[in-house]
Amino acid sequence: MPAIPWLVAPLISLLLQMPAMAWEEGDRQAYNNKMALLKVLVDGAKDRATSSGDLETLCILMSIGNDVTLRYVQLNPADQVIQTRLSGMRTDLTSCLAVLYNPLASR
């Protein structure tokens, strides 16, 4: 029985390191998967923001998308398509925050 923890511990540590290894390898598919999930969440938050005025959730999700994209760009600086996307995402986040903190700006 005491040998089981020694067999399980390396497996757990390997599983915990897998996401980090995917970033280090520049895994564009991992980035695309994360952004696809975030897009679904952002679309729902946009609907919620228009129906109930909940801009906080929308801005938070947009900020997460910016962080994920920025991290990808830092690790893959040659990817011009994603750098352009990041620029647009920053503009959208700035607009969201402007409306959130200055409701008169949306009028």
Side-chain angles (χ1 to χ4, degrees), residues 48-103:
R48 185 173 170 164
T50 49
S51 65
S52 69
D54 180 16
L55 285 172
E56 292 88 358
T57 303
L58 178 60
C59 291
I60 287 171
L61 291 171
M62 292 173 80
S63 176
I64 292 169
N66 272 295
D67 290 346
V68 169
T69 304
L70 177 61
R71 177 75 175 138
Y72 178 83
V73 166
Q74 287 172 340
L75 295 173
N76 300 284
D79 195 336
Q80 294 297 319
V81 172
I82 301 300
Q83 285 189 3
T84 302
R85 181 185 298 173
L86 178 60
S87 177
M89 291 171 71
R90 285 179 172 164
T91 301
D92 292 344
L93 178 60
T94 301
S95 299
C96 185
L97 292 173
V99 172
L100 177 65
Y101 291 114
N102 187 6

CSV table of all heavy atoms in Angstrom, one decimal, residues 48-103:
chain,number,residue,atom,x,y,z
A,48,ARG,N,-26.8,40.1,-21.2
A,48,ARG,CA,-27.2,40.5,-19.9
A,48,ARG,C,-27.0,42.0,-19.6
A,48,ARG,O,-27.8,42.7,-19.0
A,48,ARG,CB,-26.3,39.7,-18.9
A,48,ARG,CG,-26.7,40.0,-17.4
A,48,ARG,CD,-25.9,39.0,-16.5
A,48,ARG,NE,-26.1,39.4,-15.2
A,48,ARG,CZ,-25.9,38.6,-14.2
A,48,ARG,NH1,-25.4,37.4,-14.4
A,48,ARG,NH2,-26.1,39.1,-12.9
A,49,ALA,N,-25.9,42.6,-20.2
A,49,ALA,CA,-25.7,44.0,-20.0
A,49,ALA,C,-26.8,44.8,-20.7
A,49,ALA,O,-27.2,45.9,-20.2
A,49,ALA,CB,-24.3,44.4,-20.6
A,50,THR,N,-27.2,44.4,-21.9
A,50,THR,CA,-28.3,45.2,-22.5
A,50,THR,C,-29.6,45.0,-21.8
A,50,THR,O,-30.4,46.0,-21.8
A,50,THR,CB,-28.4,44.8,-24.0
A,50,THR,OG1,-28.5,43.4,-24.1
A,50,THR,CG2,-27.3,45.3,-24.8
A,51,SER,N,-29.9,43.9,-21.2
A,51,SER,CA,-31.2,43.7,-20.6
A,51,SER,C,-31.2,44.2,-19.2
A,51,SER,O,-32.3,44.7,-18.7
A,51,SER,CB,-31.6,42.2,-20.6
A,51,SER,OG,-30.7,41.4,-19.8
A,52,SER,N,-30.1,44.0,-18.4
A,52,SER,CA,-30.2,44.4,-17.0
A,52,SER,C,-29.2,45.5,-16.6
A,52,SER,O,-29.1,45.9,-15.5
A,52,SER,CB,-30.0,43.2,-16.1
A,52,SER,OG,-28.6,42.7,-16.2
A,53,GLY,N,-28.3,45.9,-17.6
A,53,GLY,CA,-27.3,46.9,-17.3
A,53,GLY,C,-26.1,46.4,-16.5
A,53,GLY,O,-25.3,47.2,-16.0
A,54,ASP,N,-25.9,45.1,-16.5
A,54,ASP,CA,-24.8,44.5,-15.8
A,54,ASP,C,-23.5,44.6,-16.6
A,54,ASP,O,-23.1,43.7,-17.3
A,54,ASP,CB,-25.1,43.0,-15.4
A,54,ASP,CG,-23.9,42.4,-14.7
A,54,ASP,OD1,-23.0,43.1,-14.2
A,54,ASP,OD2,-23.9,41.1,-14.6
A,55,LEU,N,-22.9,45.8,-16.6
A,55,LEU,CA,-21.6,46.0,-17.3
A,55,LEU,C,-20.4,45.4,-16.6
A,55,LEU,O,-19.4,45.1,-17.3
A,55,LEU,CB,-21.4,47.5,-17.6
A,55,LEU,CG,-22.3,48.1,-18.6
A,55,LEU,CD1,-22.1,49.6,-18.6
A,55,LEU,CD2,-22.0,47.6,-20.0
A,56,GLU,N,-20.5,45.2,-15.3
A,56,GLU,CA,-19.3,44.7,-14.6
A,56,GLU,C,-18.9,43.3,-15.1
A,56,GLU,O,-17.7,43.1,-15.3
A,56,GLU,CB,-19.6,44.6,-13.1
A,56,GLU,CG,-19.8,45.9,-12.4
A,56,GLU,CD,-21.2,46.4,-12.4
A,56,GLU,OE1,-22.1,45.8,-13.0
A,56,GLU,OE2,-21.5,47.5,-11.9
A,57,THR,N,-19.9,42.4,-15.3
A,57,THR,CA,-19.5,41.1,-15.7
A,57,THR,C,-18.9,41.1,-17.1
A,57,THR,O,-17.9,40.5,-17.4
A,57,THR,CB,-20.8,40.2,-15.7
A,57,THR,OG1,-21.4,40.2,-14.4
A,57,THR,CG2,-20.5,38.8,-16.2
A,58,LEU,N,-19.5,42.0,-18.0
A,58,LEU,CA,-19.0,42.1,-19.4
A,58,LEU,C,-17.5,42.6,-19.3
A,58,LEU,O,-16.7,42.0,-20.0
A,58,LEU,CB,-19.9,43.0,-20.2
A,58,LEU,CG,-19.4,43.3,-21.6
A,58,LEU,CD1,-19.3,42.0,-22.4
A,58,LEU,CD2,-20.3,44.3,-22.3
A,59,CYS,N,-17.3,43.6,-18.6
A,59,CYS,CA,-15.9,44.2,-18.5
A,59,CYS,C,-14.9,43.2,-17.9
A,59,CYS,O,-13.8,43.1,-18.4
A,59,CYS,CB,-15.9,45.5,-17.7
A,59,CYS,SG,-16.7,46.9,-18.6
A,60,ILE,N,-15.4,42.4,-16.9
A,60,ILE,CA,-14.5,41.4,-16.3
A,60,ILE,C,-14.1,40.4,-17.3
A,60,ILE,O,-12.9,40.0,-17.5
A,60,ILE,CB,-15.1,40.8,-15.1
A,60,ILE,CG1,-15.1,41.8,-13.9
A,60,ILE,CG2,-14.4,39.5,-14.7
A,60,ILE,CD1,-15.9,41.3,-12.7
A,61,LEU,N,-15.1,39.9,-18.1
A,61,LEU,CA,-14.8,38.8,-19.1
A,61,LEU,C,-13.9,39.4,-20.2
A,61,LEU,O,-13.1,38.7,-20.7
A,61,LEU,CB,-16.1,38.3,-19.6
A,61,LEU,CG,-16.9,37.4,-18.6
A,61,LEU,CD1,-18.3,37.1,-19.1
A,61,LEU,CD2,-16.1,36.2,-18.2
A,62,MET,N,-14.2,40.6,-20.6
A,62,MET,CA,-13.3,41.2,-21.6
A,62,MET,C,-11.9,41.3,-21.1
A,62,MET,O,-10.9,41.1,-21.9
A,62,MET,CB,-13.9,42.6,-22.0
A,62,MET,CG,-15.2,42.4,-22.8
A,62,MET,SD,-16.0,44.0,-23.1
A,62,MET,CE,-15.0,44.5,-24.5
A,63,SER,N,-11.7,41.7,-19.8
A,63,SER,CA,-10.4,41.8,-19.2
A,63,SER,C,-9.7,40.4,-19.2
A,63,SER,O,-8.5,40.4,-19.5
A,63,SER,CB,-10.5,42.3,-17.8
A,63,SER,OG,-9.3,42.4,-17.2
A,64,ILE,N,-10.4,39.4,-18.9
A,64,ILE,CA,-9.8,38.0,-18.9
A,64,ILE,C,-9.4,37.7,-20.3
A,64,ILE,O,-8.3,37.2,-20.5
A,64,ILE,CB,-10.8,37.0,-18.4
A,64,ILE,CG1,-11.1,37.2,-16.9
A,64,ILE,CG2,-10.3,35.6,-18.7
A,64,ILE,CD1,-12.3,36.4,-16.4
A,65,GLY,N,-10.2,38.0,-21.3
A,65,GLY,CA,-9.8,37.8,-22.7
A,65,GLY,C,-8.5,38.5,-23.1
A,65,GLY,O,-7.6,38.0,-23.8
A,66,ASN,N,-8.4,39.8,-22.6
A,66,ASN,CA,-7.2,40.6,-22.9
A,66,ASN,C,-6.0,39.9,-22.2
A,66,ASN,O,-4.9,39.9,-22.8
A,66,ASN,CB,-7.4,42.0,-22.3
A,66,ASN,CG,-8.0,42.9,-23.3
A,66,ASN,OD1,-7.4,43.2,-24.3
A,66,ASN,ND2,-9.2,43.4,-23.0
A,67,ASP,N,-6.2,39.5,-21.0
A,67,ASP,CA,-5.0,38.8,-20.3
A,67,ASP,C,-4.6,37.6,-21.0
A,67,ASP,O,-3.4,37.3,-21.1
A,67,ASP,CB,-5.4,38.5,-18.8
A,67,ASP,CG,-5.6,39.8,-18.0
A,67,ASP,OD1,-5.2,40.8,-18.4
A,67,ASP,OD2,-6.2,39.6,-16.9
A,68,VAL,N,-5.5,36.7,-21.4
A,68,VAL,CA,-5.2,35.5,-22.1
A,68,VAL,C,-4.5,35.8,-23.4
A,68,VAL,O,-3.4,35.2,-23.7
A,68,VAL,CB,-6.4,34.6,-22.4
A,68,VAL,CG1,-6.2,33.5,-23.3
A,68,VAL,CG2,-7.0,34.1,-21.1
A,69,THR,N,-5.0,36.8,-24.1
A,69,THR,CA,-4.4,37.2,-25.4
A,69,THR,C,-3.0,37.8,-25.2
A,69,THR,O,-2.0,37.5,-25.9
A,69,THR,CB,-5.3,38.1,-26.2
A,69,THR,OG1,-6.6,37.4,-26.3
A,69,THR,CG2,-4.7,38.4,-27.5
A,70,LEU,N,-2.9,38.7,-24.2
A,70,LEU,CA,-1.6,39.3,-23.9
A,70,LEU,C,-0.5,38.2,-23.6
A,70,LEU,O,0.6,38.3,-24.1
A,70,LEU,CB,-1.7,40.3,-22.8
A,70,LEU,CG,-0.4,40.9,-22.3
A,70,LEU,CD1,0.2,41.7,-23.5
A,70,LEU,CD2,-0.7,41.8,-21.1
A,71,ARG,N,-0.9,37.2,-22.8
A,71,ARG,CA,0.0,36.2,-22.4
A,71,ARG,C,0.4,35.4,-23.7
A,71,ARG,O,1.6,35.1,-23.8
A,71,ARG,CB,-0.7,35.2,-21.4
A,71,ARG,CG,0.2,34.1,-21.0
A,71,ARG,CD,1.3,34.5,-20.1
A,71,ARG,NE,2.0,33.3,-19.6
A,71,ARG,CZ,3.3,33.2,-19.5
A,71,ARG,NH1,4.0,34.2,-19.8
A,71,ARG,NH2,3.9,32.1,-19.1
A,72,TYR,N,-0.5,35.1,-24.5
A,72,TYR,CA,-0.1,34.4,-25.8
A,72,TYR,C,0.8,35.2,-26.6
A,72,TYR,O,1.8,34.7,-27.1
A,72,TYR,CB,-1.4,34.1,-26.6
A,72,TYR,CG,-1.1,33.4,-27.9
A,72,TYR,CD1,-0.9,32.0,-27.9
A,72,TYR,CD2,-1.0,34.1,-29.0
A,72,TYR,CE1,-0.5,31.3,-29.1
A,72,TYR,CE2,-0.7,33.4,-30.2
A,72,TYR,CZ,-0.4,32.1,-30.2
A,72,TYR,OH,-0.1,31.4,-31.4
A,73,VAL,N,0.6,36.5,-26.7
A,73,VAL,CA,1.4,37.4,-27.5
A,73,VAL,C,2.8,37.5,-26.9
A,73,VAL,O,3.8,37.5,-27.7
A,73,VAL,CB,0.8,38.8,-27.7
A,73,VAL,CG1,1.7,39.8,-28.2
A,73,VAL,CG2,-0.4,38.7,-28.6
A,74,GLN,N,2.9,37.5,-25.6
A,74,GLN,CA,4.2,37.6,-25.0
A,74,GLN,C,5.0,36.4,-25.3
A,74,GLN,O,6.2,36.4,-25.4
A,74,GLN,CB,4.0,37.7,-23.5
A,74,GLN,CG,3.6,39.1,-23.0
A,74,GLN,CD,3.2,39.2,-21.5
A,74,GLN,OE1,3.0,38.1,-20.9
A,74,GLN,NE2,3.2,40.4,-21.0
A,75,LEU,N,4.4,35.2,-25.4
A,75,LEU,CA,5.1,34.0,-25.6
A,75,LEU,C,5.3,33.7,-27.1
A,75,LEU,O,6.1,32.9,-27.5
A,75,LEU,CB,4.3,32.8,-25.0
A,75,LEU,CG,4.3,32.8,-23.5
A,75,LEU,CD1,3.4,31.7,-22.9
A,75,LEU,CD2,5.7,32.7,-22.9
A,76,ASN,N,4.5,34.4,-28.0
A,76,ASN,CA,4.6,34.2,-29.4
A,76,ASN,C,4.5,35.6,-30.1
A,76,ASN,O,3.6,35.9,-30.8
A,76,ASN,CB,3.4,33.4,-29.9
A,76,ASN,CG,3.3,32.0,-29.3
A,76,ASN,OD1,4.1,31.2,-29.6
A,76,ASN,ND2,2.5,31.8,-28.3
A,77,PRO,N,5.6,36.4,-30.0
A,77,PRO,CA,5.6,37.7,-30.5
A,77,PRO,C,5.5,37.8,-32.0
A,77,PRO,O,5.2,38.9,-32.6
A,77,PRO,CB,6.9,38.3,-30.0
A,77,PRO,CG,7.7,37.2,-29.6
A,77,PRO,CD,6.8,36.0,-29.3
A,78,ALA,N,5.8,36.8,-32.7
A,78,ALA,CA,5.8,36.8,-34.2
A,78,ALA,C,4.4,36.6,-34.7
A,78,ALA,O,4.2,36.8,-35.9
A,78,ALA,CB,6.7,35.7,-34.7
A,79,ASP,N,3.4,36.3,-33.9
A,79,ASP,CA,2.0,36.1,-34.4
A,79,ASP,C,1.3,37.5,-34.5
A,79,ASP,O,0.7,38.0,-33.6
A,79,ASP,CB,1.3,35.2,-33.4
A,79,ASP,CG,0.0,34.7,-34.0
A,79,ASP,OD1,-0.6,35.3,-34.9
A,79,ASP,OD2,-0.5,33.6,-33.5
A,80,GLN,N,1.4,38.1,-35.7
A,80,GLN,CA,0.9,39.4,-36.0
A,80,GLN,C,-0.6,39.4,-35.9
A,80,GLN,O,-1.2,40.4,-35.6
A,80,GLN,CB,1.4,39.9,-37.3
A,80,GLN,CG,2.9,40.2,-37.4
A,80,GLN,CD,3.3,41.3,-36.4
A,80,GLN,OE1,2.6,42.3,-36.2
A,80,GLN,NE2,4.4,41.0,-35.7
A,81,VAL,N,-1.3,38.3,-36.3
A,81,VAL,CA,-2.8,38.3,-36.3
A,81,VAL,C,-3.3,38.5,-34.9
A,81,VAL,O,-4.2,39.3,-34.7
A,81,VAL,CB,-3.3,37.0,-36.9
A,81,VAL,CG1,-4.7,36.8,-36.7
A,81,VAL,CG2,-2.9,36.9,-38.4
A,82,ILE,N,-2.7,37.8,-34.0
A,82,ILE,CA,-3.1,37.9,-32.6
A,82,ILE,C,-2.7,39.2,-32.0
A,82,ILE,O,-3.5,39.8,-31.2
A,82,ILE,CB,-2.6,36.7,-31.7
A,82,ILE,CG1,-3.0,35.4,-32.3
A,82,ILE,CG2,-3.0,36.8,-30.3
A,82,ILE,CD1,-4.5,35.2,-32.4
A,83,GLN,N,-1.6,39.8,-32.4
A,83,GLN,CA,-1.3,41.2,-31.9
A,83,GLN,C,-2.3,42.2,-32.4
A,83,GLN,O,-2.7,43.1,-31.6
A,83,GLN,CB,0.1,41.5,-32.4
A,83,GLN,CG,1.2,40.8,-31.6
A,83,GLN,CD,2.6,41.3,-32.0
A,83,GLN,OE1,2.8,42.3,-32.7
A,83,GLN,NE2,3.6,40.7,-31.4
A,84,THR,N,-2.8,42.0,-33.6
A,84,THR,CA,-3.8,43.0,-34.1
A,84,THR,C,-5.1,42.7,-33.3
A,84,THR,O,-5.8,43.7,-33.0
A,84,THR,CB,-4.0,42.7,-35.6
A,84,THR,OG1,-2.8,42.9,-36.3
A,84,THR,CG2,-5.1,43.6,-36.2
A,85,ARG,N,-5.4,41.5,-33.0
A,85,ARG,CA,-6.6,41.2,-32.3
A,85,ARG,C,-6.5,41.8,-30.9
A,85,ARG,O,-7.5,42.3,-30.4
A,85,ARG,CB,-6.8,39.7,-32.2
A,85,ARG,CG,-8.1,39.3,-31.4
A,85,ARG,CD,-8.2,37.8,-31.2
A,85,ARG,NE,-8.3,37.1,-32.4
A,85,ARG,CZ,-8.2,35.8,-32.5
A,85,ARG,NH1,-8.1,35.0,-31.5
A,85,ARG,NH2,-8.3,35.2,-33.7
A,86,LEU,N,-5.3,41.7,-30.3
A,86,LEU,CA,-5.2,42.3,-28.9
A,86,LEU,C,-5.4,43.8,-28.9
A,86,LEU,O,-6.0,44.3,-28.0
A,86,LEU,CB,-3.7,42.0,-28.4
A,86,LEU,CG,-3.4,42.5,-27.0
A,86,LEU,CD1,-4.3,42.0,-26.0
A,86,LEU,CD2,-1.9,42.2,-26.7
A,87,SER,N,-4.9,44.5,-30.0
A,87,SER,CA,-5.2,45.9,-30.1
A,87,SER,C,-6.7,46.2,-30.1
A,87,SER,O,-7.1,47.1,-29.4
A,87,SER,CB,-4.5,46.4,-31.3
A,87,SER,OG,-4.7,47.8,-31.5
A,88,GLY,N,-7.4,45.5,-30.9
A,88,GLY,CA,-8.9,45.7,-30.9
A,88,GLY,C,-9.5,45.3,-29.6
A,88,GLY,O,-10.5,46.0,-29.2
A,89,MET,N,-9.1,44.3,-29.0
A,89,MET,CA,-9.6,43.9,-27.7
A,89,MET,C,-9.4,44.9,-26.6
A,89,MET,O,-10.3,45.2,-25.8
A,89,MET,CB,-9.1,42.5,-27.2
A,89,MET,CG,-9.5,41.4,-28.1
A,89,MET,SD,-8.6,39.9,-27.7
A,89,MET,CE,-9.3,39.5,-26.1
A,90,ARG,N,-8.2,45.6,-26.6
A,90,ARG,CA,-7.9,46.6,-25.7
A,90,ARG,C,-8.8,47.8,-25.9
A,90,ARG,O,-9.3,48.5,-24.9
A,90,ARG,CB,-6.5,47.1,-25.8
A,90,ARG,CG,-5.5,46.0,-25.2
A,90,ARG,CD,-4.1,46.5,-25.4
A,90,ARG,NE,-3.2,45.6,-24.6
A,90,ARG,CZ,-1.9,45.5,-24.8
A,90,ARG,NH1,-1.3,46.3,-25.7
A,90,ARG,NH2,-1.1,44.7,-24.1
A,91,THR,N,-9.1,48.2,-27.2
A,91,THR,CA,-10.0,49.3,-27.5
A,91,THR,C,-11.4,49.0,-26.9
A,91,THR,O,-12.0,49.8,-26.3
A,91,THR,CB,-10.0,49.5,-29.0
A,91,THR,OG1,-8.7,49.8,-29.4
A,91,THR,CG2,-11.0,50.6,-29.3
A,92,ASP,N,-11.9,47.7,-27.2
A,92,ASP,CA,-13.2,47.3,-26.7
A,92,ASP,C,-13.3,47.4,-25.1
A,92,ASP,O,-14.3,47.9,-24.6
A,92,ASP,CB,-13.6,45.9,-27.2
A,92,ASP,CG,-13.8,45.9,-28.6
A,92,ASP,OD1,-14.0,46.9,-29.3
A,92,ASP,OD2,-13.8,44.7,-29.2
A,93,LEU,N,-12.2,46.9,-24.5
A,93,LEU,CA,-12.2,46.9,-23.0
A,93,LEU,C,-12.2,48.4,-22.5
A,93,LEU,O,-12.9,48.7,-21.5
A,93,LEU,CB,-11.0,46.2,-22.5
A,93,LEU,CG,-10.9,46.2,-20.9
A,93,LEU,CD1,-12.1,45.6,-20.3
A,93,LEU,CD2,-9.6,45.4,-20.5
A,94,THR,N,-11.4,49.2,-23.1
A,94,THR,CA,-11.4,50.6,-22.7
A,94,THR,C,-12.8,51.3,-22.8
A,94,THR,O,-13.2,52.0,-22.0
A,94,THR,CB,-10.4,51.4,-23.6
A,94,THR,OG1,-9.1,50.8,-23.4
A,94,THR,CG2,-10.3,52.9,-23.2
A,95,SER,N,-13.5,51.0,-23.9
A,95,SER,CA,-14.8,51.5,-24.1
A,95,SER,C,-15.8,50.9,-23.0
A,95,SER,O,-16.6,51.7,-22.5
A,95,SER,CB,-15.4,51.1,-25.5
A,95,SER,OG,-14.6,51.6,-26.5
A,96,CYS,N,-15.7,49.7,-22.7
A,96,CYS,CA,-16.5,49.1,-21.7
A,96,CYS,C,-16.3,49.7,-20.3
A,96,CYS,O,-17.2,50.1,-19.6
A,96,CYS,CB,-16.2,47.6,-21.6
A,96,CYS,SG,-17.3,46.7,-20.5
A,97,LEU,N,-15.0,49.9,-20.0
A,97,LEU,CA,-14.7,50.6,-18.7
A,97,LEU,C,-15.1,52.0,-18.7
A,97,LEU,O,-15.5,52.5,-17.6
A,97,LEU,CB,-13.2,50.4,-18.5
A,97,LEU,CG,-12.7,49.0,-18.2
A,97,LEU,CD1,-11.1,49.0,-18.1
A,97,LEU,CD2,-13.3,48.4,-16.9
A,98,ALA,N,-15.0,52.7,-19.8
A,98,ALA,CA,-15.5,54.1,-19.9
A,98,ALA,C,-17.0,54.2,-19.6
A,98,ALA,O,-17.4,55.1,-18.8
A,98,ALA,CB,-15.1,54.7,-21.2
A,99,VAL,N,-17.7,53.3,-20.2
A,99,VAL,CA,-19.2,53.3,-20.0
A,99,VAL,C,-19.5,52.9,-18.5
A,99,VAL,O,-20.4,53.4,-17.9
A,99,VAL,CB,-19.9,52.4,-21.0
A,99,VAL,CG1,-21.4,52.3,-20.6
A,99,VAL,CG2,-19.7,53.0,-22.4
A,100,LEU,N,-18.7,51.9,-18.0
A,100,LEU,CA,-19.0,51.4,-16.7
A,100,LEU,C,-18.7,52.5,-15.6
A,100,LEU,O,-19.5,52.7,-14.7
A,100,LEU,CB,-18.1,50.2,-16.4
A,100,LEU,CG,-18.1,49.7,-15.0
A,100,LEU,CD1,-19.5,49.1,-14.7
A,100,LEU,CD2,-17.1,48.6,-14.8
A,101,TYR,N,-17.6,53.3,-15.8
A,101,TYR,CA,-17.3,54.2,-14.8
A,101,TYR,C,-17.8,55.6,-15.1
A,101,TYR,O,-17.8,56.5,-14.2
A,101,TYR,CB,-15.7,54.3,-14.6
A,101,TYR,CG,-15.2,53.1,-13.9
A,101,TYR,CD1,-14.4,52.2,-14.6
A,101,TYR,CD2,-15.6,52.8,-12.6
A,101,TYR,CE1,-13.9,51.0,-14.0
A,101,TYR,CE2,-15.2,51.6,-12.0
A,101,TYR,CZ,-14.3,50.7,-12.7
A,101,TYR,OH,-13.9,49.6,-12.1
A,102,ASN,N,-18.3,55.9,-16.3
A,102,ASN,CA,-18.9,57.1,-16.6
A,102,ASN,C,-20.2,56.9,-17.4
A,102,ASN,O,-20.2,56.9,-18.6
A,102,ASN,CB,-17.9,58.0,-17.4
A,102,ASN,CG,-18.5,59.4,-17.6
A,102,ASN,OD1,-19.5,59.8,-17.1
A,102,ASN,ND2,-17.7,60.2,-18.4
A,103,PRO,N,-21.3,56.6,-16.8
A,103,PRO,CA,-22.5,56.3,-17.5
A,103,PRO,C,-23.0,57.3,-18.4
A,103,PRO,O,-23.7,57.1,-19.4
A,103,PRO,CB,-23.6,56.1,-16.4
A,103,PRO,CG,-22.8,55.9,-15.1
A,103,PRO,CD,-21.5,56.6,-15.3
